[in-house]
Amino acid sequence: METAGGRRPRRTRSVRACCRQTATQDKSTKREITNVLKSLSMGNTDEDDDTEIDDTHVFQKNGGGGSSSIERRVMSPRYNILREVGRGSYGVVYEAVARRSGAKVAVKKLRCDAPENVELALQEFWALASLEKRHQNVVQLEECVLQRNGLAQKMSHGNKRSRQYLRLVETSLKGERVLSQPEEPCYLWFVMEFCEGGDLNQFILSRRPDPRTNSSFMLQLTSAVAFLHENNIVHRDLKPDNILISEKSGTPVLKVADFGLSKVCAGLGGSAACAGKDGEDDHNKNRTSNINKYWLSSACGSDFFMAPEVWEGHYTAKADIFALGIIIWAMLERITFIDAESKRELLGTYVRQGEDIVPVGEALLENPKMVLHIPQRRRSSMTDGVKQLLMDMLAVNPQDRPDAFQLQARVDQVTR
Protein backbone atom coordinates (compact mmCIF):
# COMPACT_ATOMS: atom_id res chain seq x y z
CA MET A 1 0.00 0.00 0.00
CA GLU A 2 1.16 3.48 -0.75
CA THR A 3 1.99 6.17 1.71
CA ALA A 4 -1.24 7.72 2.96
CA GLY A 5 -2.24 11.01 1.39
CA GLY A 6 -4.28 13.90 2.71
CA ARG A 7 -7.96 14.73 2.19
CA ARG A 8 -7.29 17.02 -0.74
CA PRO A 9 -5.84 15.41 -3.87
CA ARG A 10 -2.35 15.97 -5.13
CA ARG A 11 -3.01 18.02 -8.24
CA THR A 12 0.06 17.11 -10.21
CA ARG A 13 -0.33 18.05 -13.86
CA SER A 14 1.41 15.86 -16.41
CA VAL A 15 3.70 17.29 -19.07
CA ARG A 16 1.11 16.59 -21.77
CA ALA A 17 -1.64 18.31 -19.80
CA CYS A 18 0.50 21.36 -19.17
CA CYS A 19 1.66 21.69 -22.78
CA ARG A 20 1.64 25.13 -24.31
CA GLN A 21 2.17 25.60 -28.02
CA THR A 22 5.22 27.67 -28.87
CA ALA A 23 6.55 29.01 -32.14
CA THR A 24 10.20 29.48 -31.21
CA GLN A 25 13.00 27.39 -29.84
CA ASP A 26 16.42 28.82 -28.99
CA LYS A 27 19.49 27.44 -30.74
CA SER A 28 21.34 26.32 -27.62
CA THR A 29 18.39 24.15 -26.55
CA LYS A 30 18.17 22.60 -30.00
CA ARG A 31 21.91 21.83 -29.99
CA GLU A 32 21.56 20.10 -26.63
CA ILE A 33 18.62 18.02 -27.88
CA THR A 34 20.44 17.01 -31.04
CA ASN A 35 23.57 16.07 -29.14
CA VAL A 36 21.70 13.91 -26.64
CA LEU A 37 19.81 12.19 -29.43
CA LYS A 38 23.09 11.60 -31.23
CA SER A 39 24.38 9.79 -28.18
CA LEU A 40 21.50 7.33 -28.48
CA SER A 41 23.18 5.86 -31.53
CA MET A 42 26.02 4.64 -29.32
CA GLY A 43 23.85 1.73 -28.23
CA ASN A 44 24.72 1.91 -24.54
CA THR A 45 24.12 -1.42 -22.84
CA ASP A 46 23.25 -2.19 -19.25
CA GLU A 47 26.77 -3.46 -18.73
CA ASP A 48 28.13 -0.04 -19.78
CA ASP A 49 25.90 1.88 -17.38
CA ASP A 50 28.64 2.84 -14.96
CA THR A 51 31.22 3.84 -17.56
CA GLU A 52 31.86 7.57 -17.27
CA ILE A 53 32.53 9.15 -20.66
CA ASP A 54 33.75 12.71 -21.04
CA ASP A 55 31.11 14.88 -22.65
CA THR A 56 33.52 16.06 -25.34
CA HIS A 57 33.34 12.49 -26.63
CA VAL A 58 29.62 11.94 -26.23
CA PHE A 59 28.40 15.34 -27.45
CA GLN A 60 29.41 17.18 -30.56
CA LYS A 61 30.51 20.63 -29.44
CA ASN A 62 30.43 23.80 -31.50
CA GLY A 63 33.67 24.05 -33.40
CA GLY A 64 34.09 20.30 -33.43
CA GLY A 65 37.60 19.11 -32.79
CA GLY A 66 38.85 15.60 -32.21
CA SER A 67 38.14 12.47 -34.20
CA SER A 68 37.73 9.69 -31.68
CA SER A 69 35.85 6.55 -32.63
CA ILE A 70 33.05 7.55 -30.26
CA GLU A 71 32.63 10.90 -31.98
CA ARG A 72 32.50 9.23 -35.37
CA ARG A 73 29.81 6.86 -34.12
CA VAL A 74 27.57 9.66 -32.93
CA MET A 75 27.90 11.99 -35.89
CA SER A 76 24.66 10.68 -37.46
CA PRO A 77 21.80 11.10 -35.00
CA ARG A 78 19.05 8.51 -34.86
CA TYR A 79 16.48 11.27 -34.51
CA ASN A 80 16.21 14.79 -35.88
CA ILE A 81 14.26 17.33 -33.85
CA LEU A 82 11.62 19.17 -35.89
CA ARG A 83 9.96 21.50 -33.37
CA GLU A 84 8.86 22.01 -29.81
CA VAL A 85 5.20 21.09 -29.44
CA GLY A 86 4.61 21.60 -25.73
CA ARG A 87 6.10 22.75 -22.46
CA GLY A 88 5.03 21.96 -18.91
CA SER A 89 6.13 22.68 -15.38
CA TYR A 90 8.96 20.17 -15.43
CA GLY A 91 9.40 19.02 -19.00
CA VAL A 92 9.32 19.75 -22.71
CA VAL A 93 7.86 17.74 -25.59
CA TYR A 94 9.33 17.79 -29.09
CA GLU A 95 8.33 16.38 -32.43
CA ALA A 96 11.19 14.48 -34.05
CA VAL A 97 11.79 12.09 -36.92
CA ALA A 98 13.73 8.82 -36.99
CA ARG A 99 16.39 9.12 -39.67
CA ARG A 100 16.34 5.52 -40.86
CA SER A 101 12.61 4.91 -41.06
CA GLY A 102 11.38 8.48 -41.48
CA ALA A 103 8.78 7.82 -38.78
CA LYS A 104 7.81 10.70 -36.55
CA VAL A 105 8.30 10.31 -32.80
CA ALA A 106 7.59 12.39 -29.73
CA VAL A 107 10.57 13.15 -27.51
CA LYS A 108 9.76 14.15 -23.95
CA LYS A 109 12.50 15.63 -21.79
CA LEU A 110 11.80 15.49 -18.06
CA ARG A 111 13.98 17.30 -15.54
CA CYS A 112 14.81 14.98 -12.63
CA ASP A 113 16.07 17.26 -9.88
CA ALA A 114 13.22 17.62 -7.38
CA PRO A 115 11.99 14.35 -5.81
CA GLU A 116 8.42 14.89 -7.00
CA ASN A 117 9.64 15.23 -10.59
CA VAL A 118 11.74 12.09 -10.27
CA GLU A 119 8.76 10.19 -8.91
CA LEU A 120 6.53 11.19 -11.82
CA ALA A 121 9.19 10.38 -14.41
CA LEU A 122 10.00 7.00 -12.87
CA GLN A 123 6.35 6.03 -12.56
CA GLU A 124 5.82 6.71 -16.24
CA PHE A 125 8.95 4.76 -17.12
CA TRP A 126 8.05 1.80 -14.90
CA ALA A 127 4.53 1.57 -16.26
CA LEU A 128 5.44 1.69 -19.94
CA ALA A 129 8.61 -0.39 -19.60
CA SER A 130 6.77 -3.12 -17.69
CA LEU A 131 4.49 -3.85 -20.66
CA GLU A 132 5.80 -6.93 -22.45
CA LYS A 133 3.27 -6.59 -25.28
CA ARG A 134 2.07 -3.66 -27.30
CA HIS A 135 -1.51 -2.48 -27.47
CA GLN A 136 -2.78 -0.27 -30.26
CA ASN A 137 -4.60 2.00 -27.80
CA VAL A 138 -1.71 2.58 -25.39
CA VAL A 139 1.08 4.97 -26.37
CA GLN A 140 4.27 3.06 -27.18
CA LEU A 141 7.59 3.81 -25.46
CA GLU A 142 10.46 3.29 -27.91
CA GLU A 143 13.30 3.98 -25.49
CA CYS A 144 14.22 5.99 -22.42
CA VAL A 145 17.60 7.64 -21.92
CA LEU A 146 19.13 9.05 -18.74
CA GLN A 147 21.32 12.14 -19.22
CA ARG A 148 23.64 13.49 -16.53
CA ASN A 149 27.07 15.13 -16.51
CA GLY A 150 27.66 14.51 -20.20
CA LEU A 151 26.68 10.86 -20.05
CA ALA A 152 23.64 9.54 -21.86
CA GLN A 153 22.74 5.94 -21.11
CA LYS A 154 19.78 3.86 -22.17
CA MET A 155 17.48 2.92 -19.31
CA SER A 156 16.13 -0.56 -18.83
CA HIS A 157 13.37 -1.68 -16.49
CA GLY A 158 14.61 -2.63 -13.03
CA ASN A 159 18.28 -2.30 -13.92
CA LYS A 160 20.03 -2.68 -10.57
CA ARG A 161 23.50 -2.47 -12.13
CA SER A 162 23.20 1.21 -12.98
CA ARG A 163 24.29 3.56 -10.23
CA GLN A 164 22.48 6.46 -11.84
CA TYR A 165 19.21 4.54 -12.05
CA LEU A 166 19.50 3.50 -8.39
CA ARG A 167 20.18 7.10 -7.36
CA LEU A 168 17.00 8.20 -9.11
CA VAL A 169 15.04 5.51 -7.28
CA GLU A 170 16.62 6.59 -4.00
CA THR A 171 15.66 10.21 -4.65
CA SER A 172 12.06 9.16 -5.24
CA LEU A 173 11.86 6.90 -2.18
CA LYS A 174 13.55 9.27 0.25
CA GLY A 175 11.73 12.34 -0.99
CA GLU A 176 14.91 14.37 -0.93
CA ARG A 177 17.56 15.37 -3.42
CA VAL A 178 20.27 12.71 -3.58
CA LEU A 179 22.42 14.31 -6.26
CA SER A 180 24.95 16.55 -4.58
CA GLN A 181 26.05 19.96 -5.78
CA PRO A 182 27.70 20.93 -8.08
CA GLU A 183 26.46 18.02 -10.17
CA GLU A 184 24.35 18.94 -13.18
CA PRO A 185 20.64 18.23 -12.99
CA CYS A 186 19.78 15.00 -14.73
CA TYR A 187 17.07 14.39 -17.30
CA LEU A 188 15.06 11.47 -18.57
CA TRP A 189 14.37 11.48 -22.29
CA PHE A 190 11.34 9.46 -23.43
CA VAL A 191 11.18 8.57 -27.12
CA MET A 192 7.57 7.64 -27.89
CA GLU A 193 5.23 7.27 -30.82
CA PHE A 194 3.98 10.58 -32.15
CA CYS A 195 0.24 11.29 -32.21
CA GLU A 196 -0.46 13.96 -34.79
CA GLY A 197 -4.20 14.24 -34.04
CA GLY A 198 -3.85 16.08 -30.74
CA ASP A 199 -5.83 15.02 -27.69
CA LEU A 200 -9.42 13.86 -27.25
CA ASN A 201 -10.60 17.37 -26.32
CA GLN A 202 -9.32 18.88 -29.53
CA PHE A 203 -10.58 16.04 -31.70
CA ILE A 204 -14.13 15.86 -30.36
CA LEU A 205 -14.76 19.59 -29.99
CA SER A 206 -13.46 20.47 -33.46
CA ARG A 207 -15.84 18.09 -35.27
CA ARG A 208 -19.54 17.49 -35.65
CA PRO A 209 -21.00 14.70 -33.49
CA ASP A 210 -20.56 11.30 -35.09
CA PRO A 211 -22.22 8.23 -33.50
CA ARG A 212 -19.81 5.86 -35.27
CA THR A 213 -16.78 7.68 -33.93
CA ASN A 214 -18.29 7.73 -30.43
CA SER A 215 -18.89 3.97 -30.51
CA SER A 216 -15.40 3.31 -31.84
CA PHE A 217 -13.81 5.49 -29.16
CA MET A 218 -15.81 3.76 -26.41
CA LEU A 219 -14.54 0.37 -27.61
CA GLN A 220 -10.96 1.60 -27.90
CA LEU A 221 -10.93 3.22 -24.45
CA THR A 222 -12.33 0.18 -22.68
CA SER A 223 -9.92 -2.08 -24.54
CA ALA A 224 -6.96 0.05 -23.41
CA VAL A 225 -8.04 0.10 -19.75
CA ALA A 226 -8.68 -3.66 -19.78
CA PHE A 227 -5.15 -4.16 -21.18
CA LEU A 228 -3.61 -1.94 -18.49
CA HIS A 229 -5.50 -3.64 -15.67
CA GLU A 230 -4.59 -7.05 -17.04
CA ASN A 231 -0.97 -5.93 -16.78
CA ASN A 232 -1.46 -4.68 -13.22
CA ILE A 233 -1.33 -0.97 -14.09
CA VAL A 234 -3.75 1.54 -12.59
CA HIS A 235 -3.55 4.75 -14.63
CA ARG A 236 -5.03 7.10 -11.99
CA ASP A 237 -5.20 10.14 -14.29
CA LEU A 238 -7.53 9.19 -17.12
CA LYS A 239 -8.93 12.32 -18.76
CA PRO A 240 -9.32 13.66 -22.33
CA ASP A 241 -6.03 15.59 -22.02
CA ASN A 242 -4.21 12.28 -21.56
CA ILE A 243 -5.85 10.48 -24.48
CA LEU A 244 -4.05 11.20 -27.75
CA ILE A 245 -5.17 10.61 -31.33
CA SER A 246 -3.19 8.91 -34.07
CA GLU A 247 -4.45 9.17 -37.64
CA LYS A 248 -1.66 7.28 -39.39
CA SER A 249 -4.02 4.51 -40.49
CA GLY A 250 -6.53 6.94 -41.97
CA THR A 251 -9.00 6.42 -39.13
CA PRO A 252 -8.61 7.90 -35.64
CA VAL A 253 -6.94 5.58 -33.13
CA LEU A 254 -6.93 6.52 -29.45
CA LYS A 255 -3.75 6.25 -27.41
CA VAL A 256 -3.87 6.37 -23.60
CA ALA A 257 -0.81 8.36 -22.52
CA ASP A 258 0.79 10.19 -19.58
CA PHE A 259 1.55 7.57 -16.99
CA GLY A 260 3.21 9.92 -14.49
CA LEU A 261 0.58 9.19 -11.82
CA SER A 262 0.16 5.52 -12.69
CA LYS A 263 0.77 2.67 -10.27
CA VAL A 264 2.23 -0.69 -11.18
CA CYS A 265 0.67 -3.10 -8.71
CA ALA A 266 3.50 -5.59 -8.29
CA GLY A 267 3.15 -9.07 -6.84
CA LEU A 268 -0.29 -9.87 -8.23
CA GLY A 269 0.76 -13.02 -10.04
CA GLY A 270 1.71 -13.75 -13.63
CA SER A 271 -0.01 -15.28 -16.60
CA ALA A 272 0.35 -18.73 -15.09
CA ALA A 273 -1.72 -17.73 -12.08
CA CYS A 274 -4.79 -19.30 -13.57
CA ALA A 275 -5.26 -22.09 -16.00
CA GLY A 276 -8.38 -23.92 -17.04
CA LYS A 277 -10.51 -25.13 -19.84
CA ASP A 278 -11.65 -21.64 -20.77
CA GLY A 279 -8.08 -20.33 -20.83
CA GLU A 280 -8.15 -16.62 -21.63
CA ASP A 281 -11.48 -15.88 -19.90
CA ASP A 282 -10.29 -17.43 -16.65
CA HIS A 283 -7.00 -15.60 -16.97
CA ASN A 284 -8.70 -12.21 -17.47
CA LYS A 285 -11.08 -12.70 -14.55
CA ASN A 286 -8.22 -13.67 -12.29
CA ARG A 287 -6.08 -10.68 -13.21
CA THR A 288 -8.84 -8.07 -12.84
CA SER A 289 -9.98 -9.67 -9.60
CA ASN A 290 -6.46 -9.34 -8.22
CA ILE A 291 -5.89 -5.72 -9.25
CA ASN A 292 -9.24 -4.69 -7.79
CA LYS A 293 -8.07 -5.99 -4.40
CA TYR A 294 -4.92 -3.82 -4.44
CA TRP A 295 -5.63 -0.77 -2.29
CA LEU A 296 -4.08 2.61 -3.07
CA SER A 297 -4.02 5.63 -0.80
CA SER A 298 -2.39 8.60 -2.57
CA ALA A 299 -5.22 10.95 -3.49
CA CYS A 300 -4.04 12.01 -6.93
CA GLY A 301 -5.46 12.81 -10.32
CA SER A 302 -7.57 15.53 -11.91
CA ASP A 303 -10.55 16.77 -9.92
CA PHE A 304 -13.30 16.35 -12.51
CA PHE A 305 -12.42 12.69 -13.16
CA MET A 306 -11.70 11.45 -9.65
CA ALA A 307 -13.94 8.82 -8.05
CA PRO A 308 -15.46 9.54 -4.61
CA GLU A 309 -13.13 7.09 -2.89
CA VAL A 310 -10.06 8.75 -4.41
CA TRP A 311 -10.96 12.00 -2.64
CA GLU A 312 -10.87 9.97 0.59
CA GLY A 313 -7.57 8.31 -0.27
CA HIS A 314 -8.67 4.65 -0.18
CA TYR A 315 -9.36 3.10 -3.58
CA THR A 316 -8.58 0.40 -6.16
CA ALA A 317 -8.37 0.12 -9.94
CA LYS A 318 -12.13 0.66 -10.03
CA ALA A 319 -11.28 4.39 -9.84
CA ASP A 320 -10.17 4.13 -13.48
CA ILE A 321 -13.64 2.82 -14.37
CA PHE A 322 -15.24 5.89 -12.77
CA ALA A 323 -12.93 8.25 -14.67
CA LEU A 324 -13.73 6.44 -17.90
CA GLY A 325 -17.45 6.89 -17.18
CA ILE A 326 -16.98 10.65 -16.85
CA ILE A 327 -15.00 10.77 -20.11
CA ILE A 328 -17.54 8.73 -22.09
CA TRP A 329 -20.49 10.69 -20.71
CA ALA A 330 -18.85 14.02 -21.57
CA MET A 331 -17.82 12.76 -25.01
CA LEU A 332 -21.29 11.50 -25.94
CA GLU A 333 -23.09 14.67 -24.85
CA ARG A 334 -20.22 17.11 -25.44
CA ILE A 335 -20.35 18.44 -21.89
CA THR A 336 -17.54 20.91 -21.25
CA PHE A 337 -16.12 23.30 -18.69
CA ILE A 338 -13.52 26.07 -18.83
CA ASP A 339 -10.26 25.14 -17.12
CA ALA A 340 -9.37 27.91 -14.65
CA GLU A 341 -5.62 27.63 -15.30
CA SER A 342 -5.37 27.21 -19.07
CA LYS A 343 -8.69 28.93 -19.96
CA ARG A 344 -9.30 26.07 -22.39
CA GLU A 345 -12.67 24.46 -23.04
CA LEU A 346 -12.35 20.86 -21.90
CA LEU A 347 -14.59 17.82 -21.95
CA GLY A 348 -15.81 16.89 -18.49
CA THR A 349 -19.02 16.19 -16.60
CA TYR A 350 -19.92 17.97 -13.38
CA VAL A 351 -22.73 18.74 -10.95
CA ARG A 352 -24.13 22.25 -10.56
CA GLN A 353 -24.46 23.60 -7.04
CA GLY A 354 -25.86 27.09 -7.36
CA GLU A 355 -23.45 29.07 -9.53
CA ASP A 356 -20.63 26.61 -8.92
CA ILE A 357 -19.73 23.46 -10.80
CA VAL A 358 -18.52 20.55 -8.67
CA PRO A 359 -16.72 17.37 -9.82
CA VAL A 360 -19.11 14.41 -9.87
CA GLY A 361 -16.92 12.34 -7.57
CA GLU A 362 -16.69 15.10 -4.96
CA ALA A 363 -20.45 15.69 -5.12
CA LEU A 364 -21.15 11.97 -4.66
CA LEU A 365 -18.77 11.84 -1.72
CA GLU A 366 -20.69 14.65 -0.01
CA ASN A 367 -24.07 13.16 -0.93
CA PRO A 368 -23.86 9.41 -1.70
CA LYS A 369 -27.64 9.26 -2.33
CA MET A 370 -27.49 11.87 -5.08
CA VAL A 371 -29.07 10.69 -8.34
CA LEU A 372 -27.13 11.52 -11.50
CA HIS A 373 -29.21 12.84 -14.40
CA ILE A 374 -28.07 10.74 -17.34
CA PRO A 375 -28.48 11.83 -20.05
CA GLN A 376 -27.96 15.43 -19.06
CA ARG A 377 -29.26 17.02 -22.24
CA ARG A 378 -32.95 17.02 -23.09
CA ARG A 379 -32.35 16.14 -26.72
CA SER A 380 -30.15 13.11 -26.48
CA SER A 381 -29.84 10.00 -28.62
CA MET A 382 -28.32 8.01 -25.76
CA THR A 383 -29.77 4.50 -25.59
CA ASP A 384 -31.07 2.91 -22.42
CA GLY A 385 -28.17 0.44 -22.57
CA VAL A 386 -25.55 3.20 -22.58
CA LYS A 387 -27.42 5.13 -19.88
CA GLN A 388 -27.44 2.11 -17.55
CA LEU A 389 -23.81 1.38 -18.32
CA LEU A 390 -22.79 4.92 -17.33
CA MET A 391 -24.88 4.72 -14.16
CA ASP A 392 -23.03 1.52 -13.22
CA MET A 393 -19.60 2.95 -14.06
CA LEU A 394 -20.32 6.00 -11.88
CA ALA A 395 -21.73 4.06 -8.93
CA VAL A 396 -20.73 5.49 -5.54
CA ASN A 397 -19.75 2.05 -4.26
CA PRO A 398 -16.77 0.75 -6.32
CA GLN A 399 -18.03 -2.81 -5.86
CA ASP A 400 -21.12 -1.89 -7.87
CA ARG A 401 -19.02 -0.86 -10.86
CA PRO A 402 -18.04 -3.36 -13.56
CA ASP A 403 -14.40 -4.36 -13.71
CA ALA A 404 -12.40 -3.63 -16.86
CA PHE A 405 -13.26 -6.87 -18.65
CA GLN A 406 -16.93 -6.80 -17.73
CA LEU A 407 -16.97 -3.22 -19.00
CA GLN A 408 -15.34 -4.22 -22.27
CA ALA A 409 -17.99 -6.89 -22.88
CA ARG A 410 -20.87 -4.53 -22.06
CA VAL A 411 -19.53 -1.75 -24.31
CA ASP A 412 -19.32 -4.27 -27.11
CA GLN A 413 -23.02 -5.02 -26.58
CA VAL A 414 -24.32 -1.46 -26.32
CA THR A 415 -22.38 -0.21 -29.36
CA ARG A 416 -23.65 -2.84 -31.79
Side-chain angles (χ1 to χ4, degrees):
M1 183 175 290
E2 297 185 295
T3 305
R7 168 67 175 81
R8 298 295 297 177
R10 181 180 61 190
R11 300 184 183 183
T12 303
R13 296 177 65 86
S14 64
V15 169
R16 184 67 181 79
C18 294
C19 283
R20 301 288 184 271
Q21 294 294 328
T22 180
T24 60
Q25 177 180 333
D26 64 75
K27 294 181 180 179
S28 62
T29 301
K30 192 163 186 177
R31 281 198 301 271
E32 178 193 10
I33 298 162
T34 304
N35 288 333
V36 171
L37 295 182
K38 284 180 180 180
S39 72
L40 303 188
S41 66
M42 292 179 58
N44 291 335
T45 62
D46 297 341
E47 289 77 10
D48 296 331
D49 276 340
D50 289 331
T51 303
E52 295 291 338
I53 303 176
D54 185 88
D55 65 358
T56 58
H57 291 162
V58 176
F59 302 115
Q60 180 186 11
K61 297 289 187 179
N62 289 339
S67 59
S68 70
S69 60
I70 292 179
E71 285 178 314
R72 288 197 296 271
R73 292 172 67 186
V74 303
M75 286 301 291
S76 298
R78 288 176 60 181
Y79 306 98
N80 283 345
I81 291 293
L82 301 179
R83 64 189 178 103
E84 179 182 318
V85 296
R87 182 176 292 268
S89 57
Y90 76 112
V92 188
V93 182
Y94 304 96
E95 178 185 349
V97 62
R99 288 176 60 91
R100 287 189 178 181
S101 66
K104 287 186 179 180
V105 294
V107 178
K108 183 157 60 174
K109 176 187 177 185
L110 304 182
R111 184 183 177 99
C112 294
D113 49 0
E116 57 270 23
N117 293 351
V118 174
E119 181 182 3
L120 293 171
L122 285 179
Q123 284 182 158
E124 179 154 17
F125 173 67
W126 287 332
L128 292 173
S130 69
L131 295 173
E132 297 179 358
K133 298 180 181 179
R134 295 191 176 201
H135 190 282
Q136 68 171 355
N137 301 123
V138 176
V139 70
Q140 177 64 36
L141 174 67
E142 301 297 340
E143 58 185 329
C144 180
V145 174
L146 172 63
Q147 173 205 351
R148 189 182 70 84
N149 288 343
L151 174 65
Q153 55 187 215
K154 189 172 180 177
M155 295 271 285
S156 61
H157 184 53
N159 180 19
K160 298 180 180 179
R161 299 185 61 179
S162 168
R163 287 181 299 179
Q164 309 306 332
Y165 173 78
L166 292 177
R167 291 174 82 178
L168 282 181
V169 175
E170 187 180 2
T171 296
S172 175
L173 293 176
K174 287 187 174 181
E176 59 186 29
R177 181 181 173 88
V178 173
L179 299 178
S180 59
Q181 303 292 348
E183 289 183 288
E184 298 177 8
C186 64
Y187 300 90
L188 281 181
W189 296 74
F190 290 81
V191 181
M192 314 172 82
E193 65 177 309
F194 182 75
C195 297
E196 67 287 337
D199 62 33
L200 188 61
N201 289 304
Q202 298 165 333
F203 189 91
I204 293 294
L205 298 179
S206 64
R207 290 165 173 79
R208 294 177 62 86
D210 180 6
R212 289 187 178 182
T213 298
N214 289 341
S215 296
S216 174
F217 282 5
M218 288 175 65
L219 289 166
Q220 292 183 55
L221 286 171
T222 52
S223 178
V225 172
F227 172 76
L228 294 175
H229 286 193
E230 181 186 3
N231 285 276
N232 300 328
I233 297 173
V234 186
H235 190 281
R236 301 202 296 185
D237 197 19
L238 290 172
K239 58 182 178 179
D241 269 346
N242 292 343
I243 299 168
L244 308 181
I245 313 290
S246 172
E247 297 181 283
K248 297 183 182 71
S249 64
T251 58
V253 177
L254 299 185
K255 304 281 183 177
V256 174
D258 281 296
F259 287 79
L261 295 181
S262 66
K263 181 67 176 180
V264 180
C265 303
L268 295 183
S271 59
C274 136
K277 186 175 180 180
D278 293 330
E280 190 66 23
D281 288 340
D282 289 343
H283 165 64
N284 290 343
K285 290 177 183 178
N286 180 272
R287 295 298 288 273
T288 54
S289 175
N290 282 339
I291 198 171
N292 290 316
K293 293 179 180 177
Y294 193 106
W295 290 94
L296 303 166
S297 58
S298 288
C300 61
S302 300
D303 293 4
F304 283 87
F305 305 90
M306 286 166 51
E309 66 273 17
V310 176
W311 289 86
E312 291 188 304
H314 188 64
Y315 59 99
T316 69
K318 289 288 187 75
D320 279 352
I321 305 300
F322 186 95
L324 203 54
I326 295 291
I327 294 170
I328 292 174
W329 185 6
M331 178 181 71
L332 295 180
E333 297 202 90
R334 294 183 170 232
I335 304 169
T336 63
F337 65 95
I338 302 299
D339 180 60
E341 182 177 337
S342 66
K343 308 302 180 184
R344 293 172 60 207
E345 182 182 19
L346 303 176
L347 289 167
T349 315
Y350 48 83
V351 174
R352 286 198 175 275
Q353 293 183 356
E355 296 182 356
D356 297 327
I357 59 173
V358 179
V360 176
E362 185 177 14
L364 286 172
L365 178 63
E366 295 173 352
N367 180 14
K369 295 183 179 181
M370 183 182 67
V371 177
L372 298 177
H373 297 288
I374 304 175
Q376 188 179 94
R377 303 195 182 281
R378 292 181 179 179
R379 295 183 180 181
S380 175
S381 59
M382 186 182 295
T383 65
D384 290 339
V386 172
K387 174 182 176 180
Q388 187 58 54
L389 177 62
L390 290 176
M391 293 290 288
D392 293 344
M393 294 174 71
L394 300 175
V396 178
N397 187 343
Q399 295 182 358
D400 294 334
R401 297 175 206 151
D403 65 35
F405 286 98
Q406 292 168 343
L407 176 61
Q408 193 175 14
R410 288 183 61 179
V411 167
D412 184 58
Q413 293 175 349
V414 301
T415 54
R416 288 180 181 177

